Amino acid sequence: VFDREQLAGAIKLVSNFSGKTSDVKLHPTADEKTLEVFASNQLVGENVYQVPIKKKKGEDIREIVFNWRYLYDGIRALPGNTITIALTNEQKPAILKPTDDDSVFYIVMPIQQ
C-alpha cells in the first residue's frame, strides 16, 4: 500500500532518466520499509527515489520493471489517497487499485528483461 501522490511523483521524477523502452525499476529496500523507484540512461545518468511502504503483505519481489508511462497513467487514473499494488511475480501483470474501493482497478504488464 502506497500514498498515491508520492508514488506518482516518484515515477514522474525518475522518468526523465529512463531509457529507450521508458523503463523504471521498482524494488523494496532491504528493510522493506521503502520502495526504490529507479531509472537510468547511459547518456543522461540515473536517478533513485524512495517511497515509504505503508503496508506490505506476502512474499518479497526482488525487482520489477514497468514502462513508466503505463504505470503513471494507471496511478493517476485511480481515485483515493492510497493505492494497493498487487504482484504475483516479476513476469505476471500487476493490479493497481484504490485501497478503500474494490469497484475499480488497473492492470499493467511488466517489461521482460
Side-chain angles (χ1 to χ4, degrees), residues 50-109:
Q50 293 186 351
V51 179
I53 297 174
K54 291 184 175 268
K55 182 175 149 188
K56 182 183 176 296
K57 185 171 103 174
E59 294 182 26
D60 220 8
I61 299 289
R62 290 188 328 234
E63 181 176 85
I64 190 162
V65 181
F66 291 104
N67 180 308
W68 77 265
R69 288 181 179 99
Y70 299 140
L71 186 61
Y72 181 77
D73 287 347
I75 292 168
R76 298 296 304 161
L78 295 173
N81 295 327
T82 59
I83 63 165
T84 300
I85 301 178
L87 302 166
T88 305
N89 65 36
E90 292 88 357
Q91 287 93 26
K92 303 280 184 179
I95 297 174
L96 310 176
K97 61 182 184 173
T99 304
D100 54 355
D101 184 6
D102 288 334
S103 67
V104 63
F105 62 91
Y106 182 86
I107 298 175
V108 62
M109 192 71 185

Side-chain angles (χ1 to χ4, degrees), residues 12-62:
K12 190 71 173 171
L13 284 171
V14 301
S15 69
N16 295 324
F17 294 87
S18 63
K20 290 181 183 179
T21 58
S22 300
D23 57 332
V24 294
K25 298 176 183 177
L26 308 178
H27 62 89
T29 56
D31 63 2
E32 297 182 358
K33 293 183 180 182
T34 58
L35 179 77
E36 282 190 352
V37 182
F38 174 81
S40 67
N41 184 326
Q42 290 179 345
L43 301 174
V44 181
E46 62 183 42
N47 192 4
V48 177
Y49 195 88
Q50 293 186 351
V51 179
I53 297 174
K54 291 184 175 268
K55 182 175 149 188
K56 182 183 176 296
K57 185 171 103 174
E59 294 182 26
D60 220 8
I61 299 289
R62 290 188 328 234

